[in-house]
Amino acid sequence: MFLEVRNLNVAYGDVQVLWDISFKVDKGMIVSLVGANGAGKSTLLKTISGLLRPMSGEILFRDQSLNSLTPKEIVGLGIIHVPEGRRLFPEMTVEENLLMGAFRRGKDPGIQKDLDRVYGLFPRLKERRKQKAGSMSGGEQQMCAMARGLMGNPELLLVDEMSLGLAPLIVDDLIDIVKEIHQQGTTVFIVEQDVHLALANSDYGYVLATGHIMMEGPSRELMANKEIKEVFLGI
């Protein structure tokens, strides 16, 4: 098993946010988790990446438990989290931000090759590599956040709310890049409020509502589901 979450319960202090969450992400797939704002999607990603500790349940990656590992150790296993809100270093240049994504790799000679790779995927970043990241547009900053994640050489890329606040044309460009990343061998887990975007571009999907997994299935089947059409797609 690649990534498996079993009966996960998570709280902020005394307030429980996730209840008995179970799902899996198979290697080589694009899997989506969709739900409204406040459903607990970002909380789930923070727990997988070690930023939050679960109350109970287990997170397994390649049959190894992540529950007691630090975020740095989880990154070392090949799980990279592209957070909601981008979280760039605004006063650093684009290239400095990208190199921060490779911090765990030390003097790995493959870093330059991966830098060339991300500039190939994101040519706009190459044009702006000496520009301060905070001075770019929202779409360019999202590109930078995703490219920084790729510099960690991930086996599993967790992408949180990629489309939030961006123009549709920029989102189309980003989803094309996600597909190319996937074709190059990276497994991708997309978390999105934009249900149509996520399901139309993933193999399998889960629906999260008020901290519970309410539905799952092949993405095409979920898109055809009457309840999802009415509640999330307004059809």
Side-chain angles (χ1 to χ4, degrees), residues 172-192:
D172 289 344
D173 288 344
L174 289 170
I175 202 68
D176 285 344
I177 291 168
V178 166
K179 290 178 179 178
E180 188 167 351
I181 291 165
H182 172 249
Q183 288 171 358
Q184 291 178 2
T186 302
T187 303
V188 184
F189 185 45
I190 300 173
V191 168
E192 268 290 338

Side-chain angles (χ1 to χ4, degrees), residues 24-230:
K24 63 180 180 178
V25 176
D26 291 331
K27 183 174 175 59
M29 295 183 71
I30 299 178
V31 176
S32 59
L33 177 79
V34 300
N37 185 36
K41 303 185 303 298
S42 294
T43 297
L44 178 57
L45 285 195
K46 289 176 182 177
T47 308
I48 294 171
S49 58
L51 298 172
L52 293 173
R53 294 293 183 200
M55 299 164 58
S56 61
E58 193 162 26
I59 305 168
L60 299 167
F61 183 65
R62 296 189 180 278
D63 298 320
Q64 177 181 350
S65 176
L66 305 184
N67 287 41
S68 61
L69 299 186
T70 66
K72 184 176 180 179
E73 289 170 332
I74 291 170
V75 167
L77 293 176
I79 299 175
I80 303 294
H81 180 182
V82 180
E84 179 183 0
R86 297 138 202 170
R87 306 292 177 86
L88 299 176
F89 298 97
E91 294 302 314
M92 294 172 64
T93 68
V94 168
E95 190 157 297
E96 287 169 340
N97 270 274
L98 298 183
L99 292 174
M100 287 296 289
F103 77 95
R104 73 174 178 87
R105 300 172 61 184
K107 296 183 178 180
D108 180 354
I111 290 175
Q112 184 59 52
K113 181 180 178 180
D114 284 336
L115 189 62
D116 293 339
R117 174 198 176 204
V118 299
Y119 282 149
L121 287 167
F122 301 93
R124 200 175 306 180
L125 296 183
K126 185 174 183 179
E127 295 171 7
R128 290 159 171 72
R129 62 189 183 277
K130 301 302 181 184
Q131 183 175 332
K132 286 186 177 181
S135 68
M136 296 193 299
S137 70
E140 290 165 344
Q141 289 187 37
Q142 184 64 52
M143 290 178 186
C144 190
M146 292 178 65
R148 181 181 60 185
L150 291 178
M151 288 299 296
N153 197 21
E155 288 194 59
L156 174 62
L157 189 66
L158 312 175
V159 184
D160 193 2
E161 302 288 9
M162 175 183 67
S163 70
L164 193 63
L166 300 182
L169 286 176
I170 296 293
V171 175
D172 289 344
D173 288 344
L174 289 170
I175 202 68
D176 285 344
I177 291 168
V178 166
K179 290 178 179 178
E180 188 167 351
I181 291 165
H182 172 249
Q183 288 171 358
Q184 291 178 2
T186 302
T187 303
V188 184
F189 185 45
I190 300 173
V191 168
E192 268 290 338
Q193 288 186 52
D194 187 330
V195 174
H196 183 271
L197 174 75
L199 294 180
N201 295 286
S202 60
D203 303 303
Y204 198 88
Y206 295 87
V207 179
L208 186 68
T210 60
H212 299 79
I213 297 285
M214 306 301 292
M215 202 177 300
E216 67 172 277
S219 297
R220 289 185 180 181
E221 292 181 10
L222 290 178
M223 285 186 70
N225 181 278
K226 181 179 179 182
E227 184 178 354
I228 289 178
K229 284 183 174 182
E230 291 176 351

